[in-house]
Amino acid sequence: MRSNTATLSRQDYDLALRGACEKSARSVLSVLRREAPAGTSPEVLMDFTASLTGVIERTTELLLAGKQVRVIEDDEAITTQEAADLLNVSRPHLVKLLDRGEIPPLPRVGRHRRVARASVLKYKRARDAQREAALKELAELSQRHGLGY
């Protein structure tokens, strides 16, 4: 990120920032007008805009903190290896999860399985919540029985 704010006065900086924000807003409005399905209610568009504003705010915070930001489609189809890597499990274990229906598979591409990234992340959140609950229960048991953990 370039930094030429040192040579700008605070007022000039605010004006430049406002101009950049207005340009971004015009771009978003253009996309909304072009891509929103016909008949989309104003309420839905307002909810979408509020959600988008939250994303932009969080992205700004992360970038200012020096972190990298990446946008990933939630419904993107990924390979079983990519899904296994997301879950930090082996690919054969992931295939077992697919066969048991714990993660819904997408239609095969030729002989290759595909999985929706959103489904994998949903499974991961549920698994992590179960782990957290189990750890909490173990901690309570160890405290109750004076095990000192």
Side-chain angles (χ1 to χ4, degrees), residues 84-95:
D85 292 344
L86 271 176
L87 296 174
N88 199 26
V89 299
S90 68
R91 195 190 62 75
H93 180 70
L94 179 92
V95 170

Side-chain angles (χ1 to χ4, degrees), residues 34-45:
R34 186 177 65 245
E35 300 294 331
T40 302
S41 72
E43 292 82 15
V44 169
L45 290 175

